[in-house]
Amino acid sequence: MAAAAFHPPRRKRRVFESYKSPFPVEVGGKDFRMCQAEILNNNVIVRNPEDIEQLYNKGYFGKGILSRSRPVYSISDPSLVAKWQGANINMPIITAKKYQYHVQWAKSVLRDQGLDGCSVTKILENYTKPLELPLLKEDGAGQTSASCNRMGPSTELSRQSSTDTGNVVDPSPENENKGCKKACLEGDPAFASVCGSKDQEQGDLKERDEASYQEHGFLVHCGYKAEESTEQRSGEMMKSKECAPEYVLVQEEEECSVCPEDETAHGQENLVKKEKLVCRKNPFRIFEYLQLSLEEAFFLVYALGCLSIYYGEEPLTILKLWEVFSEVKPDFKTTYMAYHYFRSKGWVPKVGLKYGTDLLLYRKGPPFYHASYSVIAELVDDNFEGSLRRPLSWKTLSGLNRTTVNASKELMLCYLIKPSDMTEKDMSTPECMKRIKVQELIVTRWVSSRERSEKDEF
């Protein structure tokens, strides 16, 4: 039997990160932080942004549900941000089409809560009406009116392009802010009507079925805050900024004429395309959550003790998690034992479903190195016998090995050997891992021509 040759991990060419820590815990325990997660639809979700940053940056646990790996999802379109960079406004910029998608999603949620079409339309019209840009504080000046910040007419940052001149007109945000302040101070009737409608809007919303809102979580997405919901969420998963409205700049288009008094054909040719950014509230907010695999979640709870997993309002104990995860995933015990073993050896295991295996092993983390091994875990007895989770024939083994080699990885069979006298009752607690032994086997493809040429040299 030939000995397996160790191949060093293949480092990625472009690395934009710095290595912080292998685990989200400090050796001295000074900066220890207890993170929180919850079970949602048989998945473990982390909502707190600070917990997300802690778990992923230190150990690369989990995956962003809206991102490729690192949770960096942004509602803003990078091309639009670059296009309107001269505005110097730190707000998300989205297209009108994308904004309509958010409106439709919010409408479907409200309809599912039993509201009629007229009520849904009224709520969304009041919520998505154009707003004034939130004003910043100036030195030596007091805070601006809340009505000017929230419920003013639409602010337009126009960009006009004409085929004749090609000039670009970008109104300054400072001028817009001055005009808004002046209107607020002078008692502009437009602002007064908006301020009056704000209280009426809140009164209409209170008459709605708030219990239905809380049940489906629409209060959080829309930004409407109920007293009971705020008190329950303030100290737990959701942060106050998630409950507050999200202001976005919607890119809208309109056509206007340079010479409106000229109605001739020549005047119609001078039509310009005017793009404006209108400040509105996002009716359906999409948050980036961190999704942990069952193995990662249990390792953070059992091995590191830096995570509490809630189901409802109560945290689950280690024994309860071991039982629940085994019911959700029948082979959880086998895969977790392999995960725990490789994590303790310094590897960063990730889910290997993409390559038809159980785990992928990374050195330091996915941002720095490509995966070195694809691992299949099996639980056997002392005689390497037992009911295998995925029995492999020579044909399936050859195909799996070829797929792994084509991805510049090596196939590893990880056998978890349990004593023959271990019963199912002994496996009902994670303490059974103390009696488990591990045997690794690397599968390589034997090339007859290369083997024969090496022997001829001798």
Side-chain angles (χ1 to χ4, degrees), residues 57-322:
N57 291 345
K58 296 183 179 181
Y60 301 98
F61 291 89
K63 174 190 176 300
I65 61 173
L66 301 175
S67 304
R68 190 172 182 180
S69 180
R70 173 180 290 276
V72 291
Y73 170 79
S74 175
I75 188 178
S76 184
D77 190 347
S79 62
L80 292 180
V81 173
K83 183 176 181 181
W84 296 96
Q85 190 174 2
N88 295 326
I89 298 176
N90 188 17
M91 294 178 64
I93 302 178
I94 63 176
T95 60
K97 185 177 181 180
K98 182 181 291 186
Y99 187 78
Q100 289 301 321
Y101 286 151
H102 289 248
V103 175
Q104 294 296 329
W105 294 336
K107 185 179 296 185
S108 62
V109 173
L110 289 175
R111 287 178 176 175
D112 292 341
Q113 294 175 358
L115 297 178
D116 58 299
C118 296
S119 301
V120 172
T121 304
K122 184 177 180 180
I123 291 175
L124 292 180
E125 285 180 355
N126 292 332
Y127 195 83
T128 60
K129 61 176 60 176
L131 310 173
E132 272 293 337
L133 290 174
L135 301 182
L136 302 177
K137 298 180 182 178
E138 294 183 356
D139 296 337
Q143 297 183 2
T144 57
S145 171
S147 62
C148 185
N149 284 341
R150 289 179 174 268
M151 304 298 295
S154 62
T155 299
E156 300 180 3
L157 300 176
S158 59
R159 182 185 183 96
Q160 300 178 354
S161 58
S162 176
T163 56
D164 299 334
T165 60
N167 296 330
V168 177
V169 180
D170 287 332
S172 173
E174 297 178 359
N175 297 333
E176 298 292 338
N177 294 343
K178 292 179 181 178
C180 181
K181 291 180 180 179
K182 183 178 180 181
C184 290
L185 294 176
E186 295 179 358
D188 195 327
F191 285 87
S193 62
V194 171
C195 294
S197 63
K198 183 179 179 182
D199 296 334
Q200 182 180 0
E201 175 189 352
Q202 294 179 353
D204 294 339
L205 291 175
K206 290 180 179 179
E207 296 177 359
R208 308 298 177 187
D209 190 2
E210 293 185 355
S212 180
Y213 282 120
Q214 297 177 3
E215 180 181 359
H216 294 83
F218 186 74
L219 284 169
V220 176
H221 290 284
C222 285
Y224 293 112
K225 294 185 288 185
E227 297 179 356
E228 297 180 358
S229 175
T230 306
E231 293 177 356
Q232 293 176 358
R233 295 287 185 176
S234 59
E236 300 179 358
M237 309 295 178
M238 307 300 295
K239 292 296 183 181
S240 59
K241 66 178 182 179
E242 293 186 356
C243 299
E246 180 184 29
Y247 297 95
V248 296
L249 294 177
V250 184
Q251 186 193 35
E252 299 180 356
E253 297 180 356
E254 63 179 5
E255 292 183 356
C256 62
S257 177
V258 177
C259 301
E261 67 278 359
D262 189 1
E263 298 179 356
T264 61
H266 179 71
Q268 294 179 359
E269 292 179 357
N270 292 330
L271 291 176
V272 295
K273 184 178 181 181
K274 183 179 178 182
E275 296 177 350
K276 61 179 181 179
L277 292 180
V278 181
C279 181
R280 299 178 186 272
K281 290 182 182 179
N282 185 9
F284 191 90
R285 300 183 63 180
I286 301 178
F287 299 102
E288 176 78 288
Y289 299 146
L290 186 71
Q291 181 176 357
L292 300 173
S293 66
L294 300 183
E295 292 80 10
E296 291 174 330
F298 194 82
F299 183 84
L300 292 170
V301 175
Y302 174 71
L304 301 183
C306 63
L307 181 69
S308 296
I309 301 179
Y310 285 77
Y311 184 75
E313 299 180 356
E314 298 181 358
L316 301 180
T317 62
I318 294 178
L319 294 179
K320 188 63 178 179
L321 287 174
W322 183 263

